[in-house]
Amino acid sequence: MAARRVSSLLSRSFTSASSFSKGRSSSVSRGIGKYSTAAAAVEDPITPPVIVGHTKLLINGQFVDAASGKTFPTLDPRTGDVIAHVAEGDAEDVNRAVAAARKAFDEGPWPKMTAYERSRVLFRFADLIEKQNDELAALETWDNGKPFEQSAKIEVPMFARFFRYYAGYADKIHGLTVPADGPYHVQTLHEPIGVAGQIIPWNFPLLMFAWKVAPALACGNTIVLKTAEQTPLSALYVAHLLHEAGLPPGALNIVSGFGPTVGAPIASHMDIDKVAFTGSTATGKIVLELAAKSNLKTVTLELGGKSPFIVCEDADVDKAVEMAHLALFFNQGQCCCAGSRTFVHERVYDEFVEKAKARAEKRVVGDPFKGGTEQGPQIDSDQFEKILKYIDYGIKGGATLETGGEQFGSKGYYIKPTVFSNVKDDMQIAKDEIFGPVQMVLKYKELDEVIKRANNTRYGLAAGVFTQNIDTANTLTRALRVGTVWINCFDVFDATIPIGGYKMSGIGREKGIYGLQNYLQVKAVVTPLKNPAWL
Amino acid sequence: MGGDSNGSSAPCESSFVKMMPTIKFTKLFINGEFVDAISGKTFETIDPRTGEVITRIAEGDKEDVDVAVKAARAAFDHGPWPRMPGAERGRIMLKFADLIDEHAEELAKLDTIDAGKLFGFGKAVDIPQVAHMLRYYAGAADKIHGEVLKMSRELQGYTLLEPIGVVGHIIPWNFPSSLLFAKVAPTLAAGCTMVVKPAEQTPLSALYYAHLAKLAGVPDGVLNVITGFGKTAGAAVTHHMDIDKVSFTGSTEVGREVMQAAAKSNLKAVSLELGGKSPLLIFDDADVDKAADLALLGILYNKGEICVASSRVFVQEGIYDELVKKLQVKAKEWTVGDPFDPKVRQGPQVDKKQFEKILTYIEHGKREGATLLTGGKPVGNKGYYIEPTVFTDVKDDMLIAKDEIFGPVMSLMKFKTIEEGIERANNTKYGLAAGIVSKNIDVINTVSRSIRAGIIWINCYFAFDRDCPYGGYKMSGFGRDFGMQGLHKYLHTKSVVTPIYNSPWL
């Protein structure tokens, strides 16, 4: 059965019998042959169909230069060329932005408007986004390198969806009336927390903007946002539209720039009431520390992961291969919840590895603006170098490189889809977050064993479970110490579904109703009751 | 008295009578199409400003309800509406809301000529509120959360909130738009399909909304409108074996029939929003001027044709006399006239039957010994206009203090202590709403918890809000409209349970 599946799949994709041969040299050399024509295409990048309109900081509703006058280049990851020079904020700009946000919060009108009026602004914004879908998607792809089709068909629509979702929550933020043990009338008011500092990463510049900005605004907060220095452009573009939709000045301020000079002043600012950070665990620790050292602002962190994807012995291997492939390779492997430890039951392990390798080799790498491209370049040279270094660790550590393992083409930051088999739990590639297109396939025997091994990590962001057996699914679901379990699916990111980490993958949950809590204070209001009719 | 005290000599003969909108929709709306009644019958809908016929409307009957239920059933059992994500239903509802905003003026005109409602208010408030209501529930469509349960054994349990199915809605004539959407909007959000019967007095706007729903992308069969009478179309809805839930707003007597019909047929779930005789308690510390305004608004808004009208005004003895004086002056300043006239605050009663009923109650009041402070007569000699009417020295056992009059007739009563006020306020078969005017937090909290009514307005009245549920205690009905509770009425809870093995926690 397994053999038939393997051959039928291979006959569809590759005719060469050599596909069956394992070992590094043959697959890599064949890989080069396959990639050679596509690689030529990435040498001559397609001109993005969009103009960069906004490169300055956004403070109090105005696009302004940095106080220092400095700028930094944002690069096209396809080539390493400069797209635009962007105003480079620092502590002084953060102070200006916080002052604007503070004023907009303390004096209004944003938190003083009715929730329904806030919702109308957010609904209008979503409509404007839809009208500019393709321009926005092009800008996102240009700055980030992700496939244009992914930007245009998934991420920008999802961005609008997030804003509509939280727009719908603005007028449904309910406190409680509380039955105290005594003659008291008690109610809880869910109030906006104040000025929120938000620091977002480069892997999903727009979606991370939506995850943070939409709930914060729906609750009536004001914001100082720092975008990633790799991807400052799309946030400025949408911020312009948000004001067009009716957002008052100062409710959202954006300071582009670097972590130590913009991120740190936000995290340690005495007038910011809350900070939300998405990024690496190492930086998350710094954010938490700065909050502790400054004004004890509340902190939510959405950090790294090394998420297990568990393929059980009863799984449909073809589907599992495809899902595991997407779980890891989606967005060039630059996902915090990437399924980067693929645990496969020993009964289906060999078949799985063959097919996973074949699927990786089929993956279309190339200019993200080209139709059909599944994988663009990594974000920048740092990440590119880091990933190649990890691939090297994998080879030196004794894992079997099934395919990929090197740069794709000779320009920009493209890396070939890479699959390692025979990975052991204590290898560095099985422990660290690589954040690139590198799949690690591990073998297991028993359910208890895989639970232990899947949990044997300092991370706890997500997990995939592939099985048709409800008991296995339930057992794994409850045993895995992670914030999201996807059963027979992966990377399902609807606005309604909370996401966040156990252990060192972070603190708090974003999205869904849970995402509101990050941006609300709870105030208990208590009054004695005289002669109450009931208690 | 007519013109001299209420500012308009001949409301029904003013030039505003000409402001007739073109009537576009007069047929039943079934499965996305406007169709004649199977019987071919029609009925008249009347302009209460003149008593003249506006147009003839298809008169639906049991056979038409059957066809509509079939369409709704098919749309529910096999159609896309309950099967699309809530977010997508929400998108269509947002579109629907935008279309209503675009046609606000025309819709407001329809309710004015059909129900005698104030046009300016309708255009500026009532109709936009309908769009807001749709947007509110559009935003709720993807926030219908079940719960994951804390089971006492090794079981995984959760609840699914599923759309209840085909819903029958029976809508009254006093708020043809607002009350239609108090029901239709959450039903749409829940993923249900429906058969709506508007009141025979006010069928026009409902048909127009059905047309806009189709334009917005609401799939055929989801929203069906059967115009006609309670005894025929309404009864067919309540008795239907294929309707899963019926929601009725109207009188307590008819509510009883609805519930009986549900009991006799398929035990369909019922929610009822019925009559009221809501108390407004004004305490000695109140600002008398403001209290008088609130008391008048509470009974005169929408000509007193509102189930939550503050028809029993209890005034603490210390300010009673002063309040009476204020009411006398203010009631006379309350302008009655053509509802298209922007200066007018009160249009005609909805129809001849209501008009006569109200005048009969006024006679009862006089006969039983209440003092007619002001009003008490028709205004003009055409249409169904009645003067703002205030009775003082009303006793709790008088008919005007016990029955729902549903007109601009206030009963003013005196009380001494908080306890007395509470007891008398609660001494009614109804329990829909109550108002409190006081600045004393202890008085307010005590009274709020003591009054057996579904909504308490403190230093305000008619402070309706989309997010704020309201509905009745006692014989004012059961179930709540508005808010997330208004949505949960249209959902079933399904519990799903399965054993779990080797769970590291329980």
Side-chain angles (χ1 to χ4, degrees):
Chain A
M1 179 66 184
R4 193 187 58 76
R5 281 213 200 116
V6 173
S7 57
S8 68
L9 182 102
L10 290 176
S11 67
R12 275 195 311 257
S13 48
F14 305 106
T15 49
S16 165
S18 71
S19 300
F20 282 101
S21 66
K22 288 205 180 134
R24 189 181 167 211
S25 56
S26 69
S27 60
V28 169
S29 62
R30 195 198 59 243
I32 289 166
K34 169 176 156 25
Y35 294 132
S36 58
T37 41
V42 307
E43 311 295 323
D44 190 14
I46 294 165
T47 307
V50 66
I51 293 160
V52 177
H54 299 284
T55 57
K56 296 186 179 185
L57 313 180
L58 174 67
I59 296 177
N60 205 26
Q62 303 292 320
F63 284 102
V64 296
D65 290 318
S68 68
K70 284 205 284 188
T71 63
F72 67 98
T74 183
L75 307 180
D76 182 344
R78 300 175 302 163
T79 57
D81 294 345
V82 175
I83 301 170
H85 291 274
V86 175
E88 183 183 336
D90 61 21
E92 198 179 332
D93 302 296
V94 170
N95 286 338
R96 290 155 72 200
V98 172
R102 195 78 257 168
K103 186 163 180 287
F105 185 77
D106 295 342
E107 294 170 25
W110 189 246
K112 297 179 202 286
M113 286 160 87
T114 68
Y116 180 69
E117 286 172 311
R118 284 198 293 277
S119 83
R120 293 300 300 275
V121 171
L122 302 181
F123 278 130
R124 272 197 296 272
F125 174 53
D127 291 345
L128 291 174
I129 290 292
E130 271 178 359
K131 283 185 191 138
Q132 316 248 338
N133 188 84
D134 287 2
E135 292 90 332
L136 194 46
L139 195 61
E140 187 79 334
T141 288
W142 196 2
D143 217 11
N144 170 280
K146 63 180 64 207
F148 174 75
E149 284 167 352
Q150 178 186 324
S151 301
K153 290 181 185 159
I154 301 172
E155 295 185 13
V156 179
M158 206 182 240
F159 179 91
R161 154 88 179 124
F162 268 99
F163 274 90
R164 285 204 184 90
Y165 176 73
Y166 280 110
Y169 251 130
D171 56 3
K172 298 170 190 74
I173 293 168
H174 294 151
L176 298 169
T177 52
V178 177
D181 181 14
Y184 294 98
H185 171 60
V186 185
Q187 44 182 325
T188 56
L189 300 181
H190 290 191
E191 301 184 346
I193 199 164
V195 175
Q198 303 183 325
I199 304 173
I200 60 174
W202 46 259
N203 55 341
F204 293 94
L206 279 174
L207 289 181
M208 294 301 106
F209 179 105
W211 288 20
K212 299 231 181 325
V213 171
L217 289 182
C219 294
N221 299 282
T222 62
I223 298 169
V224 176
L225 175 83
K226 180 201 163 302
T227 47
E229 63 270 24
Q230 293 88 344
T231 53
L233 297 177
S234 55
L236 296 172
Y237 186 106
V238 296
H240 164 70
L241 297 179
L242 193 42
H243 286 88
E244 199 178 312
L247 188 77
L252 172 66
N253 305 276
I254 300 178
V255 183
S256 320
F258 295 83
T261 45
V262 178
I266 287 175
S268 49
H269 208 288
M270 295 299 288
D271 269 341
I272 288 181
D273 302 298
K274 189 247 150 44
V275 64
F277 169 79
T278 297
S280 72
T281 295
T283 309
K285 282 185 173 187
I286 298 173
V287 169
L288 192 58
E289 224 179 293
L290 291 174
K293 282 184 181 159
S294 56
N295 62 345
L296 297 174
K297 57 178 71 65
T298 58
V299 179
T300 45
L301 302 172
E302 208 265 90
L303 308 175
K306 194 73 184 177
S307 298
F309 186 102
I310 300 170
V311 180
C312 299
E313 63 175 312
D314 70 326
D316 177 327
V317 175
D318 289 336
K319 282 187 189 159
V321 164
E322 183 62 24
M323 200 54 77
H325 176 83
L326 295 176
L328 185 282
F329 290 99
F330 176 64
N331 207 49
Q332 294 73 245
Q334 300 167 153
C335 289
C336 48
C337 44
S340 50
R341 291 182 295 149
T342 311
F343 289 97
V344 181
H345 191 268
E346 59 174 7
R347 205 181 62 75
V348 291
Y349 184 83
D350 291 343
E351 181 190 355
F352 185 96
V353 169
E354 272 308 318
K355 290 181 172 176
K357 171 182 160 187
R359 177 62 184 92
E361 287 174 351
K362 248 175 59 181
R363 186 165 186 82
V364 183
V365 184
D367 190 319
F369 281 104
K370 191 160 175 267
T373 294
E374 291 178 289
Q375 181 178 322
Q378 307 308 124
I379 186 75
D380 64 9
S381 65
D382 282 1
Q383 285 296 317
F384 176 79
E385 299 294 343
K386 178 187 149 191
I387 294 160
L388 290 177
K389 190 182 73 191
Y390 269 106
I391 290 171
D392 200 41
Y393 289 151
I395 295 164
K396 286 188 180 136
T400 307
L401 179 68
E402 294 285 344
T403 185
E406 57 193 5
Q407 183 177 13
F408 173 86
S410 60
K411 202 172 175 184
Y413 313 125
Y414 296 88
I415 291 179
K416 289 179 187 170
T418 299
V419 178
F420 279 108
S421 63
N422 298 317
V423 178
K424 302 283 172 259
D425 293 2
D426 58 353
M427 291 178 180
Q428 211 150 13
I429 56 169
K431 292 200 297 190
D432 292 359
E433 181 175 47
I434 300 175
F435 228 62
V438 184
Q439 185 176 31
M440 274 62 63
V441 189
L442 304 93
K443 191 192 288 185
Y444 78 93
K445 210 175 188 170
E446 306 287 344
L447 208 55
D448 285 349
E449 173 207 337
V450 78
I451 289 169
K452 257 188 217 132
R453 290 173 61 195
N455 282 336
N456 184 21
T457 166
R458 62 193 168 122
Y459 294 114
L461 199 51
V465 170
F466 234 78
T467 178
Q468 290 300 314
N469 184 314
I470 189 171
D471 294 333
T472 307
N474 280 335
T475 297
L476 283 170
T477 296
R478 290 190 168 227
L480 292 168
R481 308 277 298 159
V482 298
T484 301
V485 177
W486 284 298
I487 302 168
N488 299 326
C489 61
F490 207 86
D491 283 348
V492 179
F493 288 115
D494 187 61
T496 51
I497 305 171
I499 192 163
Y502 279 47
K503 299 193 267 184
M504 287 174 70
S505 288
I507 300 172
R509 293 292 178 271
E510 293 187 306
K511 304 201 291 146
I513 190 169
Y514 301 87
L516 293 171
Q517 291 165 10
N518 301 325
Y519 297 101
L520 295 168
Q521 275 285 17
V522 175
K523 179 183 282 175
V525 185
V526 186
T527 319
L529 288 170
K530 311 283 182 210
N531 197 19
W534 55 271
L535 282 174
Chain B
M1 174 164 91
D4 54 37
S5 69
N6 293 106
S8 177
S9 55
C12 42
E13 282 155 27
S14 75
S15 59
F16 298 106
V17 95
K18 306 272 183 251
M19 287 186 66
M20 293 286 285
T22 316
I23 307 299
K24 294 174 181 158
F25 307 104
T26 58
K27 297 184 179 185
L28 314 178
F29 188 77
I30 299 177
N31 207 22
E33 303 295 332
F34 285 101
V35 295
D36 289 316
I38 291 171
S39 67
K41 284 204 284 187
T42 60
F43 66 101
E44 296 171 343
T45 185
I46 308 281
D47 185 341
R49 299 175 302 158
T50 58
E52 286 163 13
V53 176
I54 303 167
T55 187
R56 298 192 69 89
I57 303 282
E59 184 183 334
D61 203 340
K62 185 176 179 308
E63 291 72 35
D64 304 291
V65 170
D66 285 342
V67 178
V69 171
K70 253 192 202 112
R73 194 79 254 168
F76 185 78
D77 292 343
H78 310 291
W81 193 247
R83 288 164 188 81
M84 65 175 72
E88 211 172 312
R89 285 197 297 275
R91 292 297 303 278
I92 292 169
M93 292 170 70
L94 289 174
K95 177 90 195 296
F96 191 5
D98 290 344
L99 288 171
I100 288 169
D101 275 341
E102 282 169 34
H103 297 86
E105 178 155 348
E106 202 173 347
L107 287 160
K109 280 184 182 172
L110 292 179
D111 280 352
T112 297
I113 59 162
D114 225 8
K117 295 175 72 74
L118 300 180
F119 168 68
F121 194 78
K123 186 183 155 191
V125 181
D126 280 347
I127 307 300
Q129 288 289 359
V130 159
H132 301 333
M133 178 76 75
L134 266 172
R135 288 193 191 96
Y136 174 87
Y137 283 111
D142 57 5
K143 296 169 186 73
I144 298 168
H145 295 122
E147 291 183 310
V148 174
L149 308 169
K150 204 70 182 169
M151 310 290 275
S152 62
R153 289 182 288 139
E154 285 199 301
L155 296 169
Q156 162 81 359
Y158 58 85
T159 58
L160 297 177
L161 302 189
E162 302 188 341
I164 202 164
V166 176
V167 180
H169 287 307
I170 302 176
I171 317 288
W173 44 260
N174 57 338
F175 287 88
S177 292
S178 311
L179 291 178
L180 176 71
F181 280 89
K183 297 189 189 307
V184 167
T187 310
L188 287 173
C192 295
T193 63
M194 68 202 98
V195 177
V196 177
K197 189 199 102 50
E200 63 270 23
Q201 293 88 343
T202 55
L204 296 175
S205 58
L207 294 172
Y208 201 110
Y209 289 119
H211 159 71
L212 295 181
K214 179 163 178 147
L215 284 186
V218 175
D220 293 348
V222 172
L223 171 63
N224 305 278
V225 180
I226 303 292
T227 45
F229 293 86
K231 294 245 180 294
T232 47
V237 167
T238 58
H239 282 95
H240 210 288
M241 294 299 287
D242 266 344
I243 289 182
D244 301 300
K245 145 123 205 159
V246 64
S247 155
F248 170 78
T249 297
S251 71
T252 295
E253 306 88 82
V254 179
R256 227 186 254 282
E257 287 176 31
V258 168
M259 198 168 164
Q260 264 173 10
K264 282 182 185 158
S265 56
N266 62 344
L267 296 174
K268 57 178 71 61
V270 178
S271 56
L272 302 173
E273 205 266 90
L274 308 175
K277 193 75 187 176
S278 298
L280 172 67
L281 291 99
I282 303 174
F283 288 88
D284 277 345
D285 70 332
D287 176 323
V288 178
D289 196 61
K290 282 185 189 162
D293 284 338
L294 208 57
L296 269 186
L297 177 77
I299 191 64
L300 299 181
Y301 170 64
N302 206 53
K303 322 158 249 170
E305 294 172 346
I306 181 163
C307 47
V308 291
S310 62
S311 47
R312 292 184 297 148
V313 179
F314 291 95
V315 185
Q316 207 163 9
E317 56 182 1
I319 55 168
Y320 183 85
D321 293 340
E322 195 188 344
L323 194 96
V324 167
K325 277 183 210 146
K326 293 261 184 197
L327 284 176
Q328 190 162 22
V329 176
K330 286 174 189 284
K332 287 188 178 167
E333 288 165 358
W334 191 275
T335 321
V336 181
D338 192 303
F340 278 109
D341 183 341
K343 294 192 298 293
V344 160
R345 300 187 75 183
Q346 181 182 323
Q349 308 307 128
V350 73
D351 63 9
K352 192 157 185 277
K353 197 173 140 208
Q354 287 297 318
F355 174 77
E356 285 169 356
K357 178 185 150 193
I358 294 161
L359 292 175
T360 306
Y361 271 109
I362 290 172
E363 288 313 308
H364 280 310
K366 287 192 226 165
R367 202 170 47 242
E368 286 183 313
T371 307
L372 181 66
L373 179 69
T374 180
K377 295 193 299 294
V379 178
N381 51 19
K382 200 173 173 188
Y384 312 125
Y385 297 86
I386 293 180
E387 290 173 347
T389 300
V390 178
F391 279 107
T392 60
D393 305 318
V394 178
K395 303 285 169 258
D396 293 2
D397 58 353
M398 291 179 181
L399 219 44
I400 55 168
K402 292 202 297 189
D403 290 3
E404 183 175 45
I405 301 175
F406 228 61
V409 183
M410 182 195 298
S411 293
L412 204 65
M413 289 167 279
K414 195 189 287 186
F415 75 95
K416 269 186 179 153
T417 64
I418 299 177
E419 291 72 22
E420 182 203 337
I422 290 168
E423 198 184 324
R424 291 174 60 195
N426 277 336
N427 184 20
T428 166
K429 60 177 174 163
Y430 294 114
L432 200 49
I436 304 169
V437 184
S438 170
K439 291 288 181 193
N440 185 312
I441 192 170
D442 291 333
V443 170
I444 288 166
N445 281 337
T446 299
V447 178
S448 298
R449 289 198 175 217
S450 299
I451 300 284
R452 308 278 296 162
I455 191 162
I456 308 285
W457 286 302
I458 301 164
N459 298 323
C460 59
Y461 211 81
F462 299 132
F464 283 113
D465 192 277
R466 299 176 282 287
D467 197 41
C468 181
Y470 87 99
Y473 278 47
K474 301 195 267 184
M475 287 174 69
S476 289
F478 47 84
R480 294 291 177 268
D481 279 327
F482 296 1
M484 291 304 276
Q485 287 204 21
L487 171 58
H488 284 253
K489 282 200 306 206
Y490 304 109
L491 299 167
H492 261 316
T493 299
K494 178 185 281 176
S495 295
V496 184
V497 181
T498 186
I500 43 171
Y501 302 97
N502 301 321
S503 174
W505 54 272
L506 282 174

